[in-house]
Amino acid sequence: MFPRLWRYSVSLTGRRDWGDDLAQTTCVRALDRGDQFQPGTHLDRWLFTMAKRIWLNELRSRKVRTGGGLVPVEEIDLPDTAADQETNILARDVLNRVNALPEAQRHAVFLVYVEGYSYKEAAAIMEIPIGTVMSRLAAARKSLGAAMGMAKGGAA
Amino acid sequence: MSTAQSYTDEELTAFLDGEADAPLAEAIGEALEHDPVLAERLAALDIPILPLRSAYDTLLEAAPPMPALPAEVKAPATRFGWGWGMGTFGTGIAAGLAVAVFTGFGAPAPEPAPKPGWAAFVASYQSLYTAETLAAVQISEAERTAQLTLVSTALGLDLSTIVNAPGLTLKRAQLLAFNDKPLVQLAYQRDDGTPVALCIIPAGADGKPVSMGAAQGMELARWNTPGFGYLLIGGQDPVPLAQEAAVFERWSMDEAI
């Protein structure tokens, strides 16, 4: 579970070092609040919701957020051990495109397309209405589609 | 103008994600057949999801090991200095959760004492049983082993060594659920035909000795070991039930060590 929590944290914060901190902080808080976890419910969703709340609080208190998104959006480095170089470049490209999306869209894309949650489940984790999940995904698809279309056009 | 205008990007996205309800999906599917503008809009939204997922899977390999957490929680020293009031956690609750976080799903995560509702649930269920229900049921040694293995795995407690209280015959071991939690029911029959059930559910860390009671016109005995709640229910006579409960409680205490 920890690798998934870490990946979620990196995706949510858009930065690997912030993701490290968020994943660790979430673990500590989860242990502290273990008595609130309902067995038979989903540990992953519980942890994700908790990480999201911690992150939003951090943003609020630190006022890291300015305008529509985060100021620092870095490229996410992949391990050099990835099997073949070409796949690695492609993966890096996809990650950076998603990472360049506004935070709210990136969050929805991660939960629905990467983690495979339904709209309803993703809405519950993000604590927003399903309609908002839909509009974020639609916006994300639009800009990702445009970016990929341009990349294709440029290569041709 | 075509009907393309009548579908929003959100609806087309839901269509691509398989989240559109049946009438909408059908309508869009139909419109696509004769509406090139709509088809173009859909194509613009249709991004490759699988490469996206596998790109993120490469990130899983990059995850650092889970940090060692102190036995007593203090605010972690992160570069933001994120901090808040942290209670200490010396209890089995936190330890159990740590196991779950480390190992993933399926580890039995402990919780506070089960809600009183589960006894009522079991009692209602048990009240449906009559002597005839179980009389015809005969299980072989192999079936018994298979059933006990199945329920033990679901519950996270080895029931293969469960003792037979004198006068009781095990008729069936089955897995039920209460509030999304596994609830194991071992159905017994007394020599006089009375159906009796031993039910076990994940529960809090506190042990509790046997207490007798009644529900749905049946006698019941309940107790807790660390991690599990037990309920023995059946018949209208508290005397044999208390004797049987004592035998099962002794076994459950041994099993909890």
Side-chain angles (χ1 to χ4, degrees):
Chain A
M1 182 61 218
F2 185 76
R4 276 178 68 203
L5 175 64
W6 178 82
R7 180 174 71 165
Y8 176 66
S9 301
V10 170
S11 164
L12 194 59
T13 61
R15 279 180 54 157
R16 204 169 160 144
D17 52 350
W18 292 2
D20 287 347
D21 284 352
L22 181 57
Q24 185 186 348
T25 305
T26 306
C27 276
V28 172
R29 180 171 292 190
L31 292 174
D32 195 47
R33 304 224 171 140
D35 57 338
Q36 292 172 11
F37 178 70
Q38 297 281 325
T41 62
H42 299 270
L43 180 65
D44 52 345
R45 298 181 207 172
W46 186 68
L47 288 172
F48 285 179
T49 302
M50 189 178 287
K52 184 220 65 177
R53 287 184 187 165
I54 293 171
W55 176 238
L56 290 188
N57 280 339
E58 175 65 21
L59 284 179
R60 270 184 215 115
S61 65
R62 295 240 151 205
K63 295 187 169 51
V64 177
R65 187 204 296 270
T66 58
L70 288 172
V71 186
V73 172
E74 296 193 323
E75 299 208 331
I76 297 176
D77 286 332
L78 287 171
D80 295 328
T81 51
D84 77 272
Q85 198 60 22
E86 207 168 318
T87 312
N88 205 354
I89 291 169
L90 192 70
R92 201 182 301 249
D93 185 54
V94 171
L95 285 179
N96 289 331
R97 278 183 205 287
V98 176
N99 212 36
L101 290 172
E103 184 194 343
Q105 292 178 27
R106 186 172 70 224
H107 194 183
V109 164
F110 180 83
L111 290 176
V112 176
Y113 299 142
V114 179
E115 286 289 347
Y117 290 114
S118 69
Y119 286 5
K120 196 175 157 195
E121 291 161 346
I125 292 170
M126 289 191 278
E127 298 177 294
I128 55 174
I130 290 183
T132 311
V133 175
M134 279 168 78
S135 57
R136 288 180 184 181
L137 290 175
R141 275 183 176 272
K142 224 171 177 175
S143 46
L144 287 175
M148 287 171 181
M150 246 161 36
K152 270 185 240 161
Chain B
M1 203 58 205
S2 70
T3 53
Q5 295 304 317
S6 59
Y7 298 105
T8 62
D9 284 343
E10 283 78 6
E11 287 170 327
L12 295 179
T13 296
F15 176 77
L16 286 169
D17 290 340
E19 291 259 2
D21 57 26
L24 178 65
E26 208 173 298
I28 292 177
E30 229 166 79
L32 282 172
E33 287 176 22
H34 51 77
D35 187 340
V37 180
L38 183 65
E40 209 169 293
R41 281 182 59 211
L42 192 73
L45 291 171
D46 188 10
I47 56 168
I49 299 297
L50 280 181
L52 192 136
R53 189 172 294 177
S54 56
Y56 270 91
D57 283 345
T58 61
L59 204 55
L60 278 182
E61 299 161 21
M66 180 163 167
L69 296 169
E72 194 162 311
V73 180
K74 298 189 184 85
T78 65
R79 57 185 65 76
F80 288 158
W82 291 351
W84 40 74
M86 284 286 175
T88 55
F89 68 105
T91 64
I93 287 170
L97 190 73
V99 168
V101 174
F102 270 111
T103 58
F105 312 111
E111 61 147 11
K115 297 189 181 76
W118 85 279
F121 170 80
V122 167
S124 316
Y125 190 85
Q126 184 64 17
S127 67
L128 302 175
Y129 279 75
T130 66
E132 289 74 36
T133 315
L134 294 172
V137 180
Q138 300 291 342
I139 58 169
S140 67
E141 191 58 36
E143 285 167 330
R144 181 183 187 277
T145 306
Q147 289 180 5
L148 286 176
T149 305
L150 182 82
V151 298
S152 297
T153 308
L155 189 63
L157 177 71
D158 182 11
L159 296 173
S160 66
T161 61
I162 194 147
V163 289
N164 247 359
L168 288 184
T169 308
L170 179 64
K171 291 290 191 168
R172 183 165 60 201
Q174 64 177 342
L175 184 63
L176 308 172
F178 179 71
N179 274 353
D180 289 337
K181 275 181 290 190
L183 168 58
V184 165
Q185 185 222 35
L186 304 181
Y188 292 90
Q189 191 162 31
R190 281 199 194 125
D191 293 342
D192 69 0
T194 310
V196 175
L198 176 65
C199 297
I200 312 169
I201 195 168
D206 292 338
K208 280 187 209 123
V210 171
S211 64
M212 303 295 291
Q216 298 275 336
M218 289 171 292
E219 291 297 317
L220 64 84
R222 58 192 305 176
W223 70 96
N224 280 65
T225 63
F228 295 95
Y230 290 80
L231 183 70
L232 186 69
I233 185 168
Q236 279 81 41
D237 188 349
V239 177
L241 196 78
Q243 291 165 351
E244 290 152 5
V247 174
F248 286 123
E249 188 202 18
R250 211 171 308 128
W251 170 84
S252 69
M253 303 292 278
D254 292 342
E255 191 66 20
I257 291 168

